[in-house]
Amino acid sequence: MSTLTIDPHASQPPFEQLRRQLIEQILTRQLPPGTKLPPVRRLAADLALAPNTVARTYRELEAEGYLITRGRNGTTVAPVAAPDEASRRRAGALTSAFVAHMRGLGFDADAIVMAVRQAL
């Protein structure tokens, strides 16, 4: 697992910082399918976070299909299909266009993220 870092001064809450970093590492195969993640308490201690913050991240990533939790047997990375380079470029272009449209409608970053979460 690549180094995870939490910036306590960032505008994003620690939960979201951790979530995004784990998703990035999963999609880029830095964390390949089957990789066992550290237990909640150990990762929380390593990152100076509350255990509930890490537990929430794991729960949400499991609900989104990125992780598999097997109780005492730990949490592992689920098999996730990583898009090819052309798909990633197209997704980036679509995302940029969406954000530009939403900003044109007067939405700020938090409102855009909320709209995406509601759509998912």
Side-chain angles (χ1 to χ4, degrees):
M1 176 181 333
S2 295
T3 303
L4 299 168
T5 58
I6 303 299
D7 179 359
H9 305 293
S11 61
Q12 287 182 325
F15 153 78
E16 186 63 26
Q17 292 178 53
L18 179 58
R19 182 182 165 284
R20 287 181 183 216
Q21 289 177 57
L22 286 171
I23 289 172
E24 177 67 22
Q25 289 184 19
I26 290 167
L27 292 179
T28 61
R29 300 291 201 238
Q30 294 172 49
L31 289 173
T35 301
K36 190 169 183 175
L37 296 182
V40 167
R41 289 184 185 167
R42 182 166 22 120
L43 186 57
D46 291 348
L47 298 175
L49 294 174
N52 286 341
T53 300
V54 176
R56 176 183 174 197
T57 302
Y58 280 13
R59 276 193 313 273
E60 290 209 10
L61 290 176
E62 182 177 23
E64 293 172 22
Y66 291 103
L67 301 179
I68 298 170
T69 301
R70 294 189 174 103
R72 291 196 155 295
N73 292 324
T75 301
T76 59
V77 175
V80 177
D84 60 30
E85 184 59 34
S87 295
R88 280 194 294 272
R89 279 195 306 272
R90 179 74 178 128
L94 288 169
T95 303
S96 295
F98 171 74
V99 169
H101 261 52
M102 293 294 281
R103 289 197 184 277
L105 294 171
F107 288 86
D108 66 6
D110 290 333
I112 294 169
V113 170
M114 186 182 332
V116 170
R117 283 187 186 274
Q118 288 173 345
L120 291 173

